[in-house]
Amino acid sequence: MTQTTTRQIVLPIIGMTCANCVATLERASKKLDGVEEAVFNLANERGMIEYDPAQLSLDDLIQRVERYGYSVATGLSTFAYEKSPKYEQRQALEAALKGLEGVRKVSASTEGIEVEYIPTLVRKQQFRKAAELAGVNLVDTSGSGEDAEARARRAEVKKQWKLLWIGVVFTLPLFILSMGRDFGLLPHDLGHAPWMNWLFLVLATPVQFYVGWDYYTSAWKAVRNKAANMDVLVALGSTMAYLYSLAVMANWFPGHVYFETSAMIITLIKVGKFLEARAKGMTSEAIKKLMGLQAATANVIRFGKETAIPIEEVLEGEIIVVRPGEKIPVDGVVIDGSSTVNESMITGESIPVSKQAGAEVIGATINQNGLFQFRATRIGEDTMLAQIIKMVEAAQASRAPIQRIADQISAVFVPIVIVVAMLTFAVWFLFFPVPAGSDLTSFTRALMNMVAVLVIACPCAMGLATPTAIMVGTGLGAERGILFKNGEALERAGKLTQVVFDKTGTLTVGEPSVTDIVPAPAGSQAYLLQLSGSLELGSEHPLGQAIVNEARRKNLDLITPENFEAVGGRGVKGTVDGQLCVIGSPAFIASLGVNLDGHQNQIDLLQSQGKTVMVTTSDNAVLGLLAVADTARDNARAVIETLHQRGLKTAMLTGDNRRTAEAIAHSLGIDQVLAEVLPDQKAETVRSLQDAGEHTAMVGDGINDAPALAQADLGIGIGTGTDVAIATADVVLIRGDLSGVPDAIALSIKTVKTIKQNLFWAFFYNVVLIPAAALGFLNPILAAAAMAFSSIFVVTNSLRLKRFRF
């Protein structure tokens, strides 16, 4: 049986203006044989398509997009030759570049080469690698290091800005003169001069057919493909007003012209679309900030010489030099030198981290005070920062379940509006004659009301309601180190009733430390710890290392033990400073004949708190007790209290014995303890909570947590944990900070609330204003202004999320 291998690509789309555009592109793409899934996003203007390359090509997908009136954003890069290539080399280079997926056009000459490409599919460094394989070295002469997709979109915005100003220049005098005539503000001879209507025609025509030409081309392609979008409504409404005015000038109808109406419709909508594009650009600021973190260049050792090169040209395995104050360009491992590194932009940890040979360094973090060399282990799209950016982009491109309502309505919205507009015309024309003495005819009034319905009923706001809020919400989360993998996870986080925590490494630090030092009467803590730490210098056991670490933390002088002996699983023996010392469990010490009666109550108390107790003796006399435990994270209790304040239940899931688990849970204030659960039973335990009616989040960091993370309604992975846990989770706390759990839930609730506000406004706007236009309460100009305002309102309401305080 042959297994089908699908490929997933992201295409940057230009020309999407409303929810119908999204629905049209999705339907059109899914009709192609081989397309498994197609999701288009109006807010970030991208389409994610999963398809079978064996059945159709990338060109087929792009042609389908273009057939329906849209285009794919492309970047243009130019390169010069480092050394003039031979004809055969140039041919090989051209062929190699054309063979890269995402390259649309290659133009080669004797001086250099020009490449047009889709920036979401291929990057500049791939051009250089392809050139090197062809035996040619390229020098980038494109100039700006700005993202190619951003350049393409900036060019589109610049074009729309130009069209907007042309529209304003022609429409403003047209509107002033027309209103002046209608309200008697112009001298009668001037206002009713035979040439005035011709002046109106001259002013309106460039707006109609130059400024508004995009609406015509888009509407034609939509109708040709048996679809309908916002541009169909705008083209219909403005054209009817324009053509009617021409008919009046030709004396086919009595009345006055409405050139100002057609021009104002187009210009006002251009204003709205331009402001909307500006606002939509602000929703993706989080991505821009993340991209801005990375270094532009790297100092690499090549041929024994240090050379500064663009970060895109760094190769895996190369040696990179980093000086104080410089950004670390890519991920790697220190091989020489030492320093401290500020990793707060990635991990959120404000304290600089010490780095010596063998330590890992993260790209985009800042070297503080030392010079060191490291070997690049992850470059390009494999670096941690690139993976974070990719995760945020995927989340922003995803669709939340709540959006389905808007999608279903948008799919049939425009055809319904056209029917309503036609009914509006028919009812007004046939059943409501104009009063005697009115300067309007029944036809004119019916036509204007129909135009108002067509213009007011744009589904833009519905299409933007959900994706803009998700983009801002996921971006804000990313800035706080909370990575939502998709919109569905963002929505589900707000519906939780219970949060289940793994214990070790999640609620606790994950390694033992000394919690209690109890010396015998007349003894001292410092002496007990010094002697115990000295003996444990010979031990490799985690409990012994915890004692050594505590002694060193308190700056005690440790003495290397003699005659050291480890008694497997029970304790250690040795001579320290001439004394025969033993450290071990109470049972082990008792088996050596040491009397513990005077210490048993204290031992029982410490053990009841879930701590491991060790007894230290010197020459068979008890020096005191040491208790060791895996301590809770500093903010664990505060996080649990915050969740309780928000009405959420909490539980702890662990394989530890119940006594230890309950002691830790009690100290943190956790509601429910699920102890002695084997790794393969964790998912089943979470399922049983769901069966009891709980909407459950699972928070974990280990490989054994992965099944439970997958089973939970929402899996939250600790970013400092294992790759498996991070890959399985729906939400990743990249900074490893537990406070991210209530923060993620709070952000989800706020984002979903914003989505609901947006959807309410979008539906309310259409439910109220379409009937108002049909009943004659809105003229076409006011309708165009209201339509433009609706989209701007939705986007700016989403941008209010940026002010959210956790």
Side-chain angles (χ1 to χ4, degrees):
M1 183 170 138
T2 306
Q3 186 176 3
T4 302
T5 303
T6 60
R7 169 150 173 74
Q8 190 178 90
I9 61 168
V10 174
L11 296 178
I13 308 297
I14 289 177
M16 288 197 296
T17 56
C18 67
N20 282 89
C21 299
V22 172
T24 297
L25 282 168
E26 288 180 355
R27 283 197 306 270
S29 301
K30 289 175 181 176
K31 286 179 183 176
L32 290 171
D33 291 336
V35 172
E36 299 289 328
E37 186 60 74
V39 178
F40 287 78
N41 187 298
L42 180 59
N44 65 5
E45 298 176 281
R46 286 185 171 190
M48 187 282 293
I49 303 172
E50 185 176 344
Y51 70 102
D52 180 5
Q55 295 188 57
L56 76 163
S57 67
L58 175 62
D59 284 341
D60 295 329
L61 293 170
I62 294 173
Q63 286 169 15
R64 175 64 64 146
V65 169
E66 292 173 343
R67 174 182 168 81
Y68 278 77
Y70 309 93
S71 58
V72 175
T74 58
L76 189 67
S77 289
T78 56
F79 300 90
Y81 306 122
E82 194 173 273
K83 181 182 177 183
S84 184
K86 298 176 182 177
Y87 176 75
E88 297 81 8
Q89 288 178 312
R90 202 165 70 239
Q91 278 191 316
L93 171 60
E94 209 169 337
L97 292 175
K98 287 179 178 176
L100 293 174
E101 183 181 48
V103 171
R104 304 291 293 148
K105 185 180 178 183
V106 178
S107 302
S109 67
T110 53
E111 288 79 28
I113 197 159
E114 188 176 81
V115 186
E116 182 183 341
Y117 62 101
I118 301 171
T120 54
L121 299 183
V122 66
R123 299 188 182 276
K124 281 186 180 182
Q125 54 263 45
Q126 291 174 256
F127 302 155
R128 294 194 187 91
K129 288 179 182 177
E132 287 171 9
L133 291 174
V136 181
N137 290 325
L138 296 178
V139 178
D140 190 354
T141 56
S142 305
S144 172
E146 182 186 14
D147 176 58
E149 182 183 354
R151 278 204 306 273
R153 296 206 185 282
R154 195 159 57 86
E156 179 65 18
V157 170
K158 189 175 179 181
K159 171 191 168 187
Q160 295 302 324
W161 176 247
K162 174 187 172 185
L163 291 174
L164 169 59
W165 270 108
I166 292 173
V168 169
V169 166
F170 283 93
T171 300
L172 196 57
L174 170 59
F175 181 75
I176 292 171
L177 289 172
S178 178
M179 292 299 103
R181 181 169 74 174
D182 290 349
F183 289 101
L185 301 177
L186 296 178
H188 186 272
D189 292 344
L190 175 62
H192 294 83
W195 51 266
M196 186 61 78
N197 282 351
W198 287 99
L199 175 61
F200 289 173
L201 173 63
V202 169
L203 291 171
T205 300
V207 179
Q208 191 71 36
F209 297 109
Y210 181 72
V211 177
W213 187 249
D214 287 347
Y215 297 127
Y216 283 108
T217 56
S218 176
W220 163 245
K221 289 178 180 178
V223 172
R224 184 187 66 188
N225 291 292
K226 299 177 183 178
N229 59 15
M230 181 205 85
D231 296 330
V232 172
L233 299 180
V234 175
L236 274 174
S238 64
T239 302
M240 284 180 178
Y242 182 86
L243 292 179
Y244 173 78
S245 301
L246 285 180
V248 169
M249 288 183 65
N251 294 319
W252 292 355
F253 295 105
H256 62 272
V257 296
Y258 286 92
F259 285 120
E260 83 287 353
T261 298
S262 66
M264 284 295 288
I265 288 171
I266 288 173
T267 302
L268 280 171
I269 292 173
K270 280 288 181 191
V271 170
K273 284 296 157 191
F274 177 76
L275 294 175
E276 177 191 313
R278 288 275 301 271
K280 276 161 60 178
M282 294 172 67
T283 64
S284 60
E285 280 185 359
I287 294 289
K288 293 174 186 173
K289 286 180 181 177
L290 287 171
M291 288 181 168
L293 290 176
Q294 60 190 5
T297 60
N299 298 315
V300 302
I301 304 294
R302 287 185 177 176
F303 310 109
K305 179 182 174 185
E306 185 178 324
T307 307
I309 62 171
I311 188 174
E312 296 86 1
E313 296 182 14
V314 174
L315 302 176
E316 187 174 333
E318 283 198 297
I319 306 302
I320 300 172
V321 180
V322 186
R323 292 179 173 79
E326 292 181 345
K327 284 185 178 179
I328 296 170
V330 296
D331 298 357
V333 177
V334 177
I335 60 171
D336 186 43
S338 63
S339 183
T340 56
V341 175
N342 182 351
E343 297 182 342
S344 60
M345 63 286 299
I346 299 292
T347 66
E349 176 56 59
S350 58
I351 300 173
V353 182
S354 177
K355 302 290 182 181
Q356 291 90 25
E360 292 188 354
V361 289
I362 304 170
T365 57
I366 300 173
N367 179 31
Q368 291 208 311
N369 54 20
L371 182 146
F372 65 89
Q373 296 182 3
F374 75 96
R375 188 182 306 279
T377 56
R378 289 190 296 270
I379 62 173
E381 295 184 353
D382 295 327
T383 64
M384 180 182 288
L385 179 62
Q387 292 299 311
I388 291 172
I389 292 172
K390 190 179 293 185
M391 203 179 295
V392 176
E393 286 179 332
Q396 293 187 337
S398 67
R399 181 169 301 169
I402 197 172
Q403 191 174 342
R404 290 174 191 148
I405 304 169
D407 292 344
Q408 290 167 356
I409 293 174
S410 299
V412 296
F413 190 79
V414 173
I416 290 174
V417 167
I418 293 173
V419 171
V420 171
M422 293 170 66
L423 287 173
T424 299
F425 177 85
V427 169
W428 278 99
F429 182 67
L430 296 174
F431 301 108
F432 294 93
V434 296
S438 172
D439 60 348
L440 290 174
T441 66
S442 294
F443 181 86
T444 303
R445 186 179 61 179
L447 180 68
M448 289 300 104
N449 288 341
M450 179 175 74
V451 169
V453 170
L454 289 171
V455 173
I456 198 71
C458 173
C460 300
M462 279 189 286
L464 291 167
T466 301
T468 53
I470 286 177
M471 285 187 72
V472 177
T474 53
L476 186 59
E479 291 176 16
R480 296 275 300 194
I482 304 167
L483 300 184
F484 290 91
K485 290 189 178 178
N486 50 58
E488 187 175 357
L490 186 66
E491 184 177 335
R492 275 189 277 130
K495 298 177 180 178
L496 299 172
T497 60
Q498 184 180 46
V499 180
V500 180
F501 292 89
D502 166 57
K503 181 181 78 70
T504 306
T506 301
L507 285 172
T508 64
V509 175
E511 57 185 35
S513 59
V514 175
T515 59
D516 299 86
I517 304 171
V518 185
S524 76
Q525 285 189 340
Y527 183 68
L528 171 60
L529 183 59
Q530 182 186 33
L531 203 66
S532 303
S534 297
L535 181 57
E536 292 287 6
L537 279 174
S539 173
E540 295 180 356
H541 195 280
L543 298 182
Q545 289 302 305
I547 294 173
V548 173
N549 292 339
E550 181 67 12
R552 284 176 172 162
R553 191 178 70 82
K554 293 188 174 180
N555 298 316
L556 298 177
D557 294 327
L558 301 183
I559 304 165
T560 303
E562 298 175 355
N563 305 316
F564 178 82
E565 178 188 353
V567 182
R570 307 188 73 186
V572 294
K573 300 177 180 180
T575 302
V576 178
D577 197 21
Q579 304 174 63
L580 177 61
C581 299
V582 181
I583 301 176
S585 66
F588 175 54
I589 297 299
S591 72
L592 298 177
V594 179
N595 187 352
L596 297 178
D597 290 345
H599 304 277
Q600 195 60 50
N601 289 341
Q602 186 68 38
I603 291 171
D604 291 342
L605 176 62
L606 292 171
Q607 288 180 335
S608 70
Q609 295 171 354
K611 299 171 182 175
T612 300
V613 179
M614 290 178 287
V615 182
T616 300
T617 68
S618 173
D619 296 329
N620 287 329
V622 176
L623 289 180
L625 311 177
L626 295 169
V628 177
D630 182 4
T631 56
R633 289 176 181 258
D634 292 339
N635 62 346
R637 185 173 180 85
V639 166
I640 299 300
E641 288 176 354
T642 302
L643 293 173
H644 286 160
Q645 289 167 6
R646 294 178 182 168
L648 292 164
K649 302 172 189 174
T650 56
M652 185 173 74
L653 181 62
T654 178
D656 277 0
N657 66 76
R658 179 161 294 278
R659 186 176 182 182
T660 301
E662 286 183 343
I664 291 176
H666 177 74
S667 69
L668 297 177
I670 290 175
D671 304 320
Q672 184 178 5
V673 177
L674 305 165
E676 299 175 5
V677 179
L678 297 175
D680 58 353
Q681 297 173 337
K682 285 189 173 183
E684 184 59 39
T685 304
V686 171
R687 188 181 295 113
S688 67
L689 295 172
Q690 293 170 318
D691 292 341
E694 302 289 355
H695 292 280
T696 304
M698 174 69 195
V699 186
D701 72 324
I703 293 174
N704 62 350
D705 297 321
L709 289 169
Q711 174 62 41
D713 296 290
L714 187 76
I716 303 178
I718 303 297
T720 51
T722 63
D723 291 342
V724 174
I726 294 171
T728 309
D730 304 301
V731 181
V732 178
L733 307 181
I734 200 70
R735 297 175 177 176
D737 186 353
L738 270 186
S739 63
V741 175
D743 285 353
I745 295 170
L747 179 58
S748 167
I749 293 170
K750 183 65 176 177
T751 303
V752 172
K753 182 180 178 182
T754 301
I755 291 172
K756 289 178 178 177
Q757 290 171 347
N758 289 348
L759 287 173
F760 171 80
W761 167 258
F763 288 127
F764 174 82
Y765 159 82
N766 284 294
V767 167
V768 172
L769 294 187
I770 290 176
L775 292 171
F777 295 123
L778 281 177
N779 66 45
I781 293 175
L782 286 176
M787 191 277 280
F789 173 75
S790 69
S791 297
I792 298 169
F793 175 88
V794 164
V795 177
T796 51
N797 189 50
S798 294
L799 288 172
R800 286 174 59 243
L801 262 175
K802 293 166 74 70
R803 298 199 298 268
F804 176 64
R805 293 292 174 262
F806 292 88

